[in-house]
């Protein structure tokens, strides 16, 4: 995740990239971080965050993050769901050494593994089932050892999903179909988890984007840098995570259903915010002197 891109404010810990705006090349500064988000719960629960140091790879920072998360929250989860970038020997072996399985998107960089899997799948009949508005065909096989350096044989899943779409054009419903292709590799054997459960878990990879980053950026100021300082940025992100989990817990677990029916989560947040403003309270830290620049 890239936090707080800016063309003006920056510090020695910023990453930077060149962007083109109206034909002009400009330097944009930003901070990068990796976030561990708990899936499989009705609440969106970010567990922890680790900033990526300038010039550092994302997966290196993620291993640092995961070490802490396993130590603190290890008993709450058995596997991590990650993007294709993480399907590499050091990360997979690291997770296995810490007693955690991995479900990773399988992309083109693993050509040999892809070819092996596709060769086998072309000879096999898929499992087929119906989801709301989509038909899923799923092929799976385990025991792949074509990923160099990975100590556990991998299981590969390939899903072909035909989505039925309906859109209104000139007062009529137009029905169309879109086909999506998904490939995943995992250390979870078939004896531990059925393919359909795995398919569902793998798709939850997008929860962190939708339920966390998008919601927090749109409604909770994750797109606004109140103070451009590495410590302030980290503390703001972590404080926002705590506030978000507390707000959801209050909304889903404390409010009575009749009261909840009258407010969305964002509506409750607005009411709390208004409550603060009404009583003229100023934040206790607003009287402290500003931190010196780096
Ligand atoms: Zn910076």
């Amino acid at each position: 995740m890239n936090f707080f891109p800016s063309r003006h404010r920056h510090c020695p810990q910023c990453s930077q990239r060149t962007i083109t705006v109206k034909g002009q090349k400009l330097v944009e500064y930003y901070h990068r971080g990796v976030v561990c988000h708990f899936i499989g719960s009705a609440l969106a629960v970010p567990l922890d965050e680790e900033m990526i140091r300038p010039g550092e790879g994302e997966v290196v920072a993620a291993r640092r993050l995961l070490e802490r998360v396993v130590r603190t929250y290890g008993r709450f989860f058995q596997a991590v769901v990650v993007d294709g970038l993480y399907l590499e020997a050091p990360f997979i072996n690291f997770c296995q050494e810490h007693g955690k399985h991995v479900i990773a998107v399988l992309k083109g960089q693993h050509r040999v593994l892809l070819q092996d899997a596709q060769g086998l799948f072309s000879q096999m009949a898929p499992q087929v089932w119906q989801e709301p508005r989509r038909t899923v065909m799923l092929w799976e096989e385990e025991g792949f050892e074509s990923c160099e350096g990975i100590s556990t044989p991998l299981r590969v899943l390939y899903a072909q999903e035909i989505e039925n779409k309906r859109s209104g054009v000139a007062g009529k419903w137009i029905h169309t179909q879109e086909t999506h292709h998904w490939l995943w590799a995992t250390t979870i054997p078939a004896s531990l988890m059925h393919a359909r459960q795995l398919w569902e878990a793998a798709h939850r990879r997008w929860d962190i984007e939708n339920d966390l980053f998008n919601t927090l950026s749109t409604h909770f100021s994750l797109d606004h840098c109140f103070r451009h300082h590495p410590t302030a940025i980290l503390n703001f992100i972590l404080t926002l995570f705590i506030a978000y989990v507390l707000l959801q817990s209050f909304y889903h677990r404390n409010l009575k259903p009749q009261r909840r029916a009258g407010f969305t989560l964002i509506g409750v947040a607005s009411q709390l915010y208004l409550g603060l403003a009404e009583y003229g309270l100023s934040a206790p830290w607003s009287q402290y002197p500003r931190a010196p620049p780096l």
Side-chain angles (χ1 to χ4, degrees):
M1 171 74 177
N2 294 340
F3 295 106
F4 313 123
S6 170
R7 292 172 218 159
H8 308 291
R9 294 196 290 178
H10 57 93
C11 69
Q13 304 244 339
C14 268
S15 298
Q16 57 178 272
R17 62 190 165 200
T18 305
I19 57 168
T20 305
V21 179
K22 294 178 183 171
Q24 196 184 352
K25 287 198 182 305
L26 298 169
V27 175
E28 186 173 77
Y29 301 94
Y30 58 98
H31 283 244
R32 298 190 303 147
V34 280
V35 175
C36 190
H37 181 242
F38 189 69
I39 58 174
S41 156
L43 308 185
V45 184
L47 294 178
D48 202 350
E49 200 274 351
E50 177 74 23
M51 299 311 291
I52 303 171
R53 295 164 188 159
E56 184 178 59
E58 178 181 326
V59 183
V60 175
R63 286 212 302 268
R64 216 162 45 234
L65 170 69
L66 205 53
E67 189 131 12
R68 206 164 56 230
V69 168
V70 166
R71 202 166 50 238
T72 315
Y73 304 108
R75 65 198 168 97
F76 296 114
F77 68 97
Q78 290 83 42
V80 289
V81 181
V82 287
D83 205 359
L85 180 69
Y86 291 79
L87 186 55
E88 45 135 77
F91 184 79
I92 305 276
N93 294 340
F94 171 86
C95 290
Q96 293 274 280
E97 284 157 17
H98 286 76
K100 301 298 171 195
H101 283 294
V102 179
I103 304 171
V105 174
L106 173 55
K107 290 185 176 169
Q109 73 267 35
H110 296 285
R111 204 160 45 87
V112 180
L113 177 60
L114 273 172
Q115 282 172 350
D116 284 356
Q118 282 165 347
L120 270 175
F121 294 157
S122 66
Q123 311 292 319
M124 295 166 60
Q127 300 176 46
V128 183
W129 71 87
Q130 201 65 41
E131 291 285 323
R133 293 195 176 184
R134 71 178 61 191
T135 306
V136 180
M137 287 180 281
L138 188 82
W139 290 260
E140 65 149 339
E141 191 53 83
E142 55 186 347
F144 290 96
E145 294 180 339
S146 8
C147 259
E148 202 176 327
I150 296 180
S151 50
T152 312
L154 294 175
R155 178 180 175 195
V156 174
L157 288 92
Y158 167 53
Q160 192 172 316
E161 301 174 17
I162 300 168
E163 186 180 6
N164 298 308
K165 298 188 113 180
R166 191 178 70 164
S167 49
V169 178
K172 289 183 179 173
W173 288 116
I174 306 290
H175 295 267
T176 53
Q177 285 193 331
E178 270 183 21
T179 304
H180 305 278
H181 302 271
W182 295 95
L183 270 156
W184 298 280
T186 180
T187 58
I188 302 177
S191 56
L192 268 187
M193 200 177 204
H194 293 304
R196 188 166 174 175
Q197 287 175 306
L198 199 54
W199 172 85
E200 284 182 359
H203 269 302
R204 301 293 294 270
R205 146 79 183 88
W206 297 103
D207 284 7
I208 192 170
E209 312 289 344
N210 300 324
D211 299 345
L212 191 72
F213 296 143
N214 287 353
T215 304
L216 291 184
S217 298
T218 308
H219 301 288
F220 294 91
S221 300
L222 187 59
D223 60 342
H224 183 80
C225 188
F226 292 93
R227 170 99 172 92
H228 194 109
H229 184 286
T231 308
I233 285 172
L234 177 62
N235 284 339
F236 169 67
I237 294 168
L238 292 174
T239 307
L240 185 59
F241 285 175
I242 292 170
Y244 187 44
V245 173
L246 283 176
L247 178 68
Q248 291 177 87
S249 303
F250 173 70
Y251 182 80
H252 290 287
R253 304 283 158 83
N254 190 279
L255 282 185
K256 299 280 182 291
Q258 309 88 296
R259 182 66 72 185
R260 205 162 51 227
F263 287 102
T264 61
L265 182 73
I266 311 300
V268 169
S270 303
Q271 291 296 314
L272 290 169
Y273 186 66
L274 279 173
L276 273 178
E278 263 181 16
Y279 288 102
L281 297 172
S282 58
W285 56 84
S286 62
Q287 57 195 299
Y288 298 162
R290 288 168 70 87
L294 284 174

